[in-house]
Amino acid sequence: MRYLPLTQPDREAMLGVIGAKSIDDLFVDVPESAVLDGPIPGLPMHASELAVERHMTKLAAKNLAAGAAPFFLGAGAYRHHVPASVDHIIQRGEFLTAYTPYQPEIAQGTLQMMFEFQSQIARLLGCDVANASMYDGSTACWEAITMARRVTKRGKAILSGGLHPHYVSVAETMAKFTGDQLVTALPTLSPTPDTDDLIARIDDDTSCVVVQYPDILGRIADLSKLAEAAHAKKALLVAVVTEPVALGAIKAPGEMGADIVVGEGQSLGVGLQFGGPYVGLFACSEKLVRQMPGRLCGETVDAEGKRGYVLTLSTREQHIRREKATSNICTSSVLCALAMSVHMTLLGEKGLRQLAAINHATASAAADRLAQVPGVELVTPTFFNEFTLKLSKEARPVVRTLADQGILAGVSLGRLYPGADDLANGLIVAVTETTTSEDVETLASALQEVLA
């Protein structure tokens, strides 16, 4: 490895300290059949920087950029306009290079940003307190489930059929190691969420009920009834928000009784970025704050009475709590959280509500137009900026055909739920302020042709 500065005497000295004769001794547990005896077949050998740049440029040219085509993809990641000032601000050196603020006396800018972010998220989600962000929405959802187990001392979580299947998949993976019992279900192409079914499933062993708002099909439920039913059994209600712009138009989950509200903040300030990095949101009621994962920034005064910021709660293993930590999460996507906070600050409350109104109006007009296409049925009569259509044909090949025509028509339910035949014709369509009437007309005309 020519990039490593170690000399052979350096290596021999290190091997001597750990009692190994050679580097090969460090890999004795690797099966011989798994040890390479030469280059990996099919993998090109090293090339010059110029050659690699040319090759990667050719590969990148095969991508269809979101802004280069009619774009209707959603299902957890959304295309919104991000002001250029957001990127300018987050690239300032004091933000871009800042690391975990262990020393508050030299990290006041980062800490203040985290405090402001927490304040914005708490208000947005309708909760008492929010932490300084997490990895992304799916892992924040799992952290909420484990937090509910700590609070209730129970190990059964009921997951709505309307919860994003990728979030469900993350929870199922993690539950293998914790022993949590997850009660899951598939969505149905029904115009109403599965609230009544969830209520019927709550029992004395339930730690929490997890519901997405709006859900994977775009449906919006009144969470008050569900919260009452969960609390009657001393269980918690966890609400998952994947499209925070919606909260500029609809009631916040915390205001309807949700104990923990988590979500994905990508919509505000963070581009699609091929799926990441994104930013996880996590908020809860004040009485649960000491069981919250991650870290919490607080405002205080110094010895001279001047305002200052510190890490108030850091209940994660990266700090001093170790085995007493509520989570082993080791980062909090602070740069993405900053981008989200900057975007929200630029919008303000009035701007966010206006943005939400534009999203809803544009989506409503698009739904009305697409429902006029023969072979297209609108499944979700009530929605924010995302709705589900039922096509007369299987949606997955339709999406592929339209993609070949340069139209990103949406996310097929067959892709999210392979093998679920009753969902195969479902198509999730997202419409934001970036969608034009020409885009909608292009999609409608193409759908009419492919469904004929």
Side-chain angles (χ1 to χ4, degrees):
M1 293 286 291
R2 57 180 175 159
Y3 303 106
L4 299 180
L6 301 176
T7 64
Q8 188 57 32
D10 291 333
R11 296 188 180 94
E12 291 175 355
M14 289 189 290
L15 289 170
V17 170
I18 63 176
K21 294 180 180 179
S22 69
I23 292 176
D24 292 337
D25 288 349
L26 305 179
F27 302 96
V28 292
D29 294 325
V30 179
E32 203 169 312
S33 59
V35 177
L36 293 173
D37 57 2
I40 300 175
L43 189 69
M45 299 300 290
H46 73 275
S48 68
E49 181 180 346
L50 178 60
V52 171
E53 186 177 291
R54 286 173 175 166
H55 177 67
M56 299 305 291
T57 300
K58 287 181 179 179
L59 291 179
K62 296 181 179 181
N63 291 323
L64 180 59
F71 186 90
F72 298 91
L73 299 178
Y78 303 92
R79 180 177 177 238
H80 290 283
H81 171 68
V82 179
S85 49
V86 172
D87 193 50
H88 173 76
I89 291 172
I90 69 171
Q91 289 195 54
R92 289 181 61 92
E94 56 265 51
F95 287 132
L96 192 61
T97 61
Y99 187 53
T100 301
Y102 292 115
Q103 296 174 274
E105 63 273 16
I106 60 172
Q108 283 298 294
T110 297
L111 287 165
Q112 181 175 0
M113 179 278 295
M114 290 164 57
F115 181 83
E116 299 297 343
F117 171 82
Q118 292 169 180
S119 303
Q120 290 170 318
I121 297 306
R123 184 169 182 183
L124 186 69
L125 302 183
C127 294
D128 298 326
V129 61
N131 70 11
S133 84
M134 307 191 83
Y135 284 125
D136 58 18
S138 62
T139 47
C141 177
W142 168 250
E143 291 287 353
I145 294 173
T146 56
M147 177 174 163
R149 184 182 71 243
R150 292 193 299 272
V151 171
T152 64
K153 305 297 190 293
R154 301 172 181 175
K156 185 170 87 171
I158 300 173
L159 277 53
S160 166
L163 179 62
H164 197 301
H166 294 173
Y167 287 45
V168 175
S169 180
V170 168
E172 289 176 337
T173 298
M174 298 301 293
K176 294 176 183 177
F177 303 98
T178 64
D180 284 79
Q181 179 188 354
L182 304 181
V183 180
T184 62
L186 291 177
T188 61
L189 292 178
S190 165
T192 56
D194 58 349
T195 303
D196 291 338
D197 180 61
L198 291 172
I199 291 175
R201 291 171 179 263
I202 303 173
D203 59 22
D204 293 333
D205 297 322
T206 302
S207 65
C208 64
V209 179
V210 185
V211 60
Q212 185 170 319
Y213 174 83
D215 73 6
I216 186 64
L217 302 187
R219 301 171 300 191
I220 302 172
D222 182 351
L223 303 183
S224 303
K225 183 180 176 183
L226 186 56
E228 291 176 5
H231 296 159
K233 291 289 187 178
K234 300 189 184 317
L236 303 183
L237 175 60
V238 176
V240 178
V241 177
T242 63
E243 171 53 299
V245 175
L247 300 181
I250 60 178
K251 199 169 185 178
E255 295 176 9
M256 290 184 283
D259 301 283
I260 306 172
V261 184
V262 299
E264 174 56 65
Q266 173 271 326
S267 279
L268 292 166
V270 183
L272 289 166
Q273 302 176 168
F274 296 96
Y278 288 168
V279 53
L281 312 178
F282 200 110
C284 66
S285 58
E286 187 174 1
K287 66 181 180 180
L288 303 179
V289 66
R290 289 195 173 275
Q291 290 298 333
M292 180 187 286
R295 62 193 183 193
L296 193 68
C297 180
E299 183 182 82
T300 184
V301 292
D302 64 13
E304 299 177 355
K306 296 178 181 179
R307 182 174 61 176
Y309 300 91
V310 294
L311 287 181
T312 305
L313 290 175
S314 300
T315 51
R316 59 188 192 146
E317 55 79 26
Q318 190 176 358
H319 293 275
I320 61 172
R321 291 185 60 83
R322 298 179 183 174
E323 70 277 359
K324 294 181 180 179
T326 57
S327 169
N328 67 354
I329 187 169
C330 293
T331 193
S332 58
S333 297
V334 168
L335 191 62
C336 292
L338 171 62
M340 183 181 184
S341 185
V342 171
H343 195 172
M344 285 192 290
T345 302
L346 291 170
L347 285 170
E349 181 177 344
K350 183 178 179 181
L352 179 61
R353 294 190 185 280
Q354 289 176 338
L355 177 62
I358 293 170
N359 272 249
H360 179 60
T362 307
S364 296
D368 290 341
R369 175 64 184 94
L370 295 174
Q372 295 172 5
V373 176
V376 175
E377 175 189 348
L378 179 62
V379 174
T380 47
T382 303
F383 54 85
F384 171 61
N385 68 353
E386 190 168 31
F387 50 86
T388 298
L389 303 175
K390 184 177 181 181
L391 309 183
S392 57
K393 294 182 179 179
E394 184 182 350
R396 201 165 189 180
V398 170
V399 169
R400 180 71 265 169
T401 298
L402 295 182
D404 292 339
Q405 298 177 18
I407 303 170
L408 300 175
V411 178
S412 62
L413 289 178
R415 179 181 180 181
L416 294 178
Y417 302 96
D421 295 339
D422 55 337
L423 299 175
N425 289 22
L427 177 66
I428 303 172
V429 177
V431 178
T432 72
E433 76 282 358
T434 65
T435 309
T436 66
S437 56
E438 290 79 10
D439 292 337
V440 175
E441 195 58 43
T442 299
L443 175 59
S445 299
L447 268 178
Q448 184 163 341
E449 183 177 333
V450 78
L451 294 176

